[in-house]
Amino acid sequence: MRRLLLVFLVATACGGKQKSTTPPPPLPEESKAQEKPAEPPKQAEKAPEEPPLPKGPVDVPVPSGTVTVKLIKAGSGKKVPLKLAPKAGDKQAIELAVDFSGKQTMPPELGGQTESQVNPTVIFNADVEAKEVGADGATKFEMTIKGVDAKDVAGAKNTGEEVKKEFGSLAGWTVLGAVNPNGSTSDLTIHIEKPDRATQSGLEILGISLMPIWPVFPTEPIGPGAKWTVTRTSKLMGKLDVTNTTDYELVSKKGKVWTLKGTTKVTGTDQEFGDEGKKAKFGGIAGTGSTEATYNDGALLPTAKHSTKTDFTATVDAPEAPSKTIALVFHLEQTNAVTPK
């Protein structure tokens, strides 16, 4: 699966080359007559060999960012804390689905063209086990990817079958970490026994699907109608520092079933990457999102769906004229959904 054009943009800004599409002016007849005989063509250079794959096993950290929670309203009726309380040894089979799309719009001076990328829905079938529950209630868990599936999406350049084949080697990967009683997590670790050519793209798409898995709750007792705000920092596309501020509401509590919903605002400061004189500058980071979740007391994972839409502008030096800059506008959409089986 191809990365979005953001990666290409950063590479260009940090020293990549781009050929001009403007043909050279025709030579005058006099100049043509004085041209030297053409030199024999040089032998084609060999294509660079692909770098060797790292030998397994490999552990890849996935930072969870920082999370803060502020209770706004405790709600009505009988109030009790909403918290994760699995027992060591509890197991749960889940389906973890991720959708990701984006588009890049060029400035008017470059034609104003918009390029889009839509990906098939990638589905990770996994088993999650609570390995250990600490005195503070934090649960160490292990998620094992049992298999990968994919569904066709209208407008995608790849079929679901192609994506399924590409990511088939992710079966057997494990995700290790700890989740606190309020749903916030430690940094995670993806363990890979045998890396292959699909490992890098697999890490990207799995990383998107893992953030976040659990909604975050306040530690105080709450009842129906309770409202709270969760602020979480993360990295968009593994590069841009963004802040997600989600306003949650406890819609209902019926017996052991808690139903939540939330709306998210995405913000970010201006940032830049690259070497001096070859930097890409990113600004105008803004977006929205939503969360829906249903949690059963005692379960390890809820049924949850998180969606965000984020826009930002990237400014880089024009490849043919370093003194001139061009600005490109990006729009990204991603959704991850957790469904216990």
Side-chain angles (χ1 to χ4, degrees):
M1 181 181 294
R2 295 186 303 108
R3 288 187 181 185
L4 206 59
L5 293 174
L6 171 61
V7 178
F8 166 77
L9 175 64
V10 174
T12 301
C14 299
K17 296 182 180 179
Q18 180 174 328
K19 294 183 179 180
S20 172
T21 57
T22 305
L27 291 171
E29 293 298 322
E30 180 179 343
S31 299
K32 288 185 178 180
Q34 296 177 358
E35 286 182 8
K36 295 181 181 180
E39 297 181 1
K42 296 181 180 180
Q43 187 176 0
E45 296 182 1
K46 293 183 178 180
E49 296 182 1
E50 292 187 10
L53 290 170
K55 295 181 180 180
V58 175
D59 289 320
V60 181
V62 181
S64 291
T66 58
V67 174
T68 58
V69 186
K70 181 180 180 180
L71 180 63
I72 306 299
K73 179 181 176 182
S76 60
K78 183 179 179 181
K79 302 176 183 62
V80 294
L82 168 56
K83 59 183 178 180
L84 301 172
K87 299 177 182 178
D90 284 355
K91 296 181 180 180
Q92 198 168 11
I94 66 167
E95 180 182 277
L96 184 58
V98 57
D99 287 281
F100 184 79
S101 64
K103 63 181 180 181
Q104 172 199 38
T105 302
M106 297 182 181
E109 59 267 29
L110 295 181
Q113 181 180 356
T114 296
E115 297 183 14
S116 300
Q117 177 180 331
V118 178
N119 297 310
T121 302
V122 181
I123 302 168
F124 298 99
N125 296 299
D127 289 339
V128 185
E129 180 178 1
K131 306 295 287 187
E132 178 184 336
V133 179
D136 59 354
T139 301
K140 292 183 179 180
F141 68 89
E142 178 177 301
M143 176 188 298
T144 303
I145 306 298
K146 308 298 289 186
V148 181
D149 201 355
K151 294 181 179 178
D152 292 335
V153 172
K157 294 184 177 180
N158 298 321
T159 66
E161 191 61 33
E162 289 172 333
V163 171
K164 179 180 176 180
K165 183 178 180 180
E166 178 181 359
F167 290 138
S169 60
L170 273 63
W173 286 21
T174 56
V175 180
L176 307 172
V179 58
N180 297 310
N182 73 335
S184 61
T185 63
S186 67
D187 291 346
L188 308 180
T189 299
I190 299 177
H191 179 80
I192 307 164
E193 280 293 326
K194 298 179 180 180
D196 61 15
R197 297 298 175 192
T199 294
Q200 183 57 46
S201 55
L203 285 169
E204 292 169 4
I205 200 72
L206 182 58
I208 292 173
S209 67
L210 292 173
M211 290 299 174
I213 299 180
W214 289 272
V216 179
F217 326 126
T219 56
E220 298 91 341
I222 57 175
K227 296 182 179 181
W228 64 97
T229 298
V230 175
T231 303
R232 181 175 61 87
T233 62
S234 62
K235 286 190 178 294
L236 181 67
M237 296 289 290
K239 277 284 185 182
L240 298 181
D241 292 319
V242 299
T243 298
N244 295 270
T245 303
T246 303
D247 294 322
Y248 282 100
E249 180 181 356
L250 176 59
V251 177
S252 67
K253 182 183 185 301
K254 298 179 180 179
K256 295 184 176 182
V257 180
W258 304 68
T259 302
L260 322 173
K261 67 177 183 180
T263 57
T264 298
K265 181 179 180 181
V266 183
T267 57
T269 59
D270 292 352
Q271 300 160 55
E272 60 181 21
F273 304 97
D275 301 324
E276 191 63 37
K278 297 179 180 179
K279 292 184 177 181
K281 299 180 180 179
F282 298 87
I285 301 171
T288 59
S290 63
T291 296
E292 299 174 1
T294 301
Y295 176 69
N296 288 273
D297 280 339
L300 180 56
L301 281 149
T303 299
K305 181 179 181 180
H306 308 271
S307 300
T308 57
K309 299 178 181 180
T310 309
D311 296 282
F312 59 91
T313 299
T315 304
V316 298
D317 292 335
E320 302 299 326
S323 61
K324 182 180 179 181
T325 60
I326 58 175
L328 299 96
V329 178
F330 288 85
H331 175 80
L332 305 181
E333 297 186 16
Q334 64 187 63
T335 298
N336 71 319
V338 181
T339 306
K341 296 298 185 181

